[in-house]
Amino acid sequence: MGALELVGSVDGAVDKLIELYTAACDVARDGGDYAQVLYPKIAVDIKEWKPIDRSQPFGYVDEAGVYSAAVSRPDLMSDYLRHQLRCLTDNYDAEISVGYSDIGIAPEYIRGAQRRPDAKTPRPTLDDVHDAIIDGDWDAFHGPEKPLFHFGPQRFDIACARIEHYTGIEVDSVQKFILFTNYEMHTREFVKFGLSQLADDATRYNALILPNGTRIERGDVDDIDALAMNLASKYQMPRFDLVADGNNGVTMINIGVGPSNAKTITDCLAVLRPECWIMIGHCAGLDARMRIGDLILGNAYERRDHVLHSHIDPETPIPAVPEIQRTLEKSVKKIYGEEEQSLMRTGTVLSTDDRNWEWQAPRDLWEWLRNSTAAAVDMESCTIAANGYRYRVPYGTLLAVSDLPLHAVPKLPAAAQAFYSNSKEAHVMCAVRAVERLAKNPERLRTRKLRHALGEVPFR
């Protein structure tokens, strides 16, 4: 690794990171010496620790010292990097240095680069792909330099590659406000909304990108219904990006069914540091007073999905994020009006990895649920919330009751289809309007509630 050079400003540091990364990628594309194809590195030397405004949610450290990160795609993350570095350097007397790290970039992570039969060419090994920093590993925080960012560059790159693999769209257009669903009908409603926005000259949105790569710009919208019908995708998790300036728009992803899918996609999206993600799906209602179509705003999570137990103890409480809760509630009230008071309730969501959990003998179901306060059962919400908690990404859940299996109303095709037809637009729009409201003032999501007492990096 070459010596890092002092840079006099935050903007200069980020510009230098982009310059070095671009130069390294150009060498790889042009068939040059792969010894020069290295990730850039940034180091912030905090000269003296001091107390800062305790209301600040990030941009602070526990002690003086050098905080560093090897960085991939600084062009993609430039706004984030500038903001985080300003917060940190405004709080402390600090020097910023930038240069090349000693970590090679595998050609598979560089668009337009080809692998050559050269022993010096690094391979996309998984040896350095891990979540030691995000999970607060002792060694990650007790070396000569402390971590500045949550992820190593290889972890970042493979996450971006998997986002593109699963969703079909290049990672660059993922927006900062993310909605998850497991229904194609929800994505269709989202596309209709996006097209209606692009047909309005006053919209803040610039384009809608579909999973097949089609990009619909303002002025391209002639027939909203016809365009909304053309949503076929060969990808496992079709993604729809309603693009605004600064990636401040809304992304919707159909993640399919189950906690494994929910973990897979949130593991990857976390590297982009989105402002929030919200699950909109269907659930089984557990209270006999409920009706089909009632809404459940999750305010607690009972985890029986098993996919994150090795990262977060199942007994660790996953708190609701009030900033998202309040916004979703306001959105429901605005869309449903006076009906909202009886239609929506807050409650615990239980997520299971067994889709047929209700296929148990009555006594077994009694034993399974008797100590639970759950109002609803689904398969994804707790995983999305728990990974949001783990990755410090604000999260929320708004579910619609589609069946009441404990009260002789199981999910059957005819009734389910009728429910879907009646509920889908309002359900989607509650979530869309909520994230639009949040996008007007994302600072309200910059919460201290998800920061950990130990093993925390300076960046959000």
Side-chain angles (χ1 to χ4, degrees):
M1 179 183 71
L4 304 187
E5 297 181 2
L6 283 175
V7 182
S9 69
V10 165
D11 285 335
V14 176
D15 290 345
K16 188 66 175 179
L17 286 171
I18 295 171
E19 176 190 328
L20 294 176
Y21 180 79
T22 301
C25 292
D26 287 344
V27 170
R29 295 187 187 102
D30 295 342
D33 181 3
Y34 232 95
Q36 301 176 47
V37 183
L38 303 168
Y39 290 107
K41 178 179 177 178
I42 183 169
V44 180
D45 186 0
I46 307 294
K47 298 298 184 180
E48 182 181 1
W49 183 88
K50 65 177 182 179
I52 65 166
D53 178 357
R54 58 181 176 271
S55 68
Q56 294 195 22
F58 44 77
Y60 60 84
V61 296
D62 292 331
E63 58 183 334
V66 176
Y67 293 78
S68 67
V71 178
S72 183
R73 292 301 308 272
D75 55 323
L76 179 63
M77 302 296 289
S78 62
D79 288 347
Y80 168 84
L81 292 170
R82 292 181 206 277
H83 186 214
Q84 299 306 303
L85 287 167
R86 286 195 185 100
C87 290
L88 187 58
T89 56
D90 284 350
N91 284 332
Y92 303 99
D93 178 19
E95 291 181 345
I96 306 175
S97 301
V98 175
Y100 279 116
S101 72
D102 57 0
I103 306 171
I105 311 175
E108 287 82 357
Y109 296 141
I110 300 173
R111 289 174 188 159
Q114 299 293 321
R115 171 162 292 282
R116 302 195 300 274
D118 181 348
K120 295 180 181 178
T121 305
R123 302 197 65 83
T125 174
L126 296 179
D127 291 348
D128 297 310
V129 175
H130 53 74
D131 277 339
I133 298 172
I134 207 76
D135 288 334
D137 179 78
W138 173 271
D139 290 336
F141 284 84
H142 291 84
E145 297 180 359
K146 297 174 178 63
L148 185 66
F149 184 54
H150 309 78
F151 305 98
Q154 304 98 324
R155 167 71 167 84
F156 186 99
D157 276 342
I158 198 167
C160 290
R162 287 192 176 175
I163 291 169
E164 296 183 1
H165 168 74
Y166 284 114
T167 71
I169 311 176
E170 289 186 354
V171 71
D172 305 58
S173 61
V174 173
Q175 301 298 290
K176 295 176 182 177
F177 298 85
I178 300 174
L179 301 177
F180 296 121
T181 181
N182 41 31
Y183 287 97
E184 184 268 344
M185 63 183 174
H186 286 163
T187 61
R188 192 177 301 280
E189 291 300 322
F190 180 72
V191 168
K192 284 184 179 180
F193 166 76
L195 294 172
S196 69
Q197 289 292 299
L198 294 177
D200 184 348
D201 291 338
T203 185
R204 72 186 186 93
Y205 299 108
N206 306 316
L208 176 66
I209 304 176
L210 305 181
N212 60 12
T214 300
R215 183 183 178 97
I216 303 170
E217 309 271 356
R218 291 185 199 174
D220 292 344
V221 182
D222 296 321
D223 188 337
I224 291 175
D225 289 332
L227 284 169
M229 292 298 292
N230 184 28
L231 301 183
S233 174
K234 64 181 180 180
Y235 295 97
Q236 186 174 343
M237 300 185 192
R239 185 178 110 225
F240 303 81
D241 295 331
L242 186 54
V243 179
D245 290 343
N247 284 37
N248 205 37
V250 186
T251 282
M252 178 178 276
I253 306 176
N254 180 349
I255 63 174
V257 175
S260 180
N261 281 5
K263 179 181 183 299
T264 296
I265 196 63
T266 49
D267 281 346
C268 297
L269 290 166
V271 304
L272 301 176
R273 311 314 297 148
E275 297 286 1
C276 70
W277 54 48
I278 296 173
M279 179 68 195
I280 55 170
H282 293 155
C283 64
L286 298 183
D287 189 328
R289 295 168 296 175
M290 290 180 178
R291 301 291 183 269
I292 301 300
D294 283 1
L295 297 177
I296 306 293
L297 179 58
N299 70 346
Y301 298 93
E302 188 172 334
R303 295 169 48 216
R304 302 193 191 182
D305 51 357
H306 301 110
V307 297
L308 284 168
H309 285 16
S310 62
H311 295 280
I312 308 174
D313 189 289
E315 302 304 317
T316 298
I318 306 298
V321 179
E323 293 79 3
I324 289 183
Q325 298 293 100
R326 289 192 291 266
T327 307
L328 282 169
E329 191 168 3
K330 288 177 183 176
S331 184
V332 171
K333 186 174 293 186
K334 186 171 184 179
I335 289 175
Y336 284 92
E338 294 181 0
E339 186 185 0
E340 178 267 342
Q341 187 169 357
S342 61
L343 180 75
M344 190 188 76
R345 63 177 285 179
T346 57
T348 299
V349 177
L350 185 160
S351 290
T352 174
D353 53 1
D354 180 3
R355 173 58 191 87
N356 299 321
W357 61 269
E358 67 268 50
W359 295 4
Q360 302 180 54
R363 179 167 182 163
D364 293 335
L365 277 174
W366 179 279
E367 294 298 324
W368 195 64
L369 292 169
R370 66 190 176 96
N371 291 319
S372 174
T373 61
V377 177
D378 82 339
M379 298 187 71
E380 300 84 21
S381 293
C382 292
T383 309
I384 286 168
N387 241 8
Y389 172 85
R390 178 177 167 231
Y391 288 120
R392 291 75 154 173
V393 176
Y395 49 85
T397 300
L398 185 67
L399 304 176
V401 174
S402 60
D403 55 307
L404 299 160
L406 302 187
H407 308 290
V409 188
K411 184 179 285 187
L412 295 173
Q417 292 304 320
F419 159 66
Y420 297 160
S421 178
N422 292 332
S423 69
K424 58 186 179 182
E425 181 179 2
H427 190 185
V428 168
M429 290 313 301
C430 286
V432 169
R433 294 304 185 191
V435 293
E436 285 196 311
R437 184 188 293 261
L438 291 167
K440 291 178 181 178
N441 181 19
E443 288 294 328
R444 76 176 77 176
L445 285 168
R446 309 286 165 76
T447 174
R448 292 173 291 165
K449 299 175 183 68
L450 301 182
R451 300 285 287 185
H452 295 190
L454 297 172
E456 197 59 81
V457 301
F459 283 6
R460 174 180 69 81

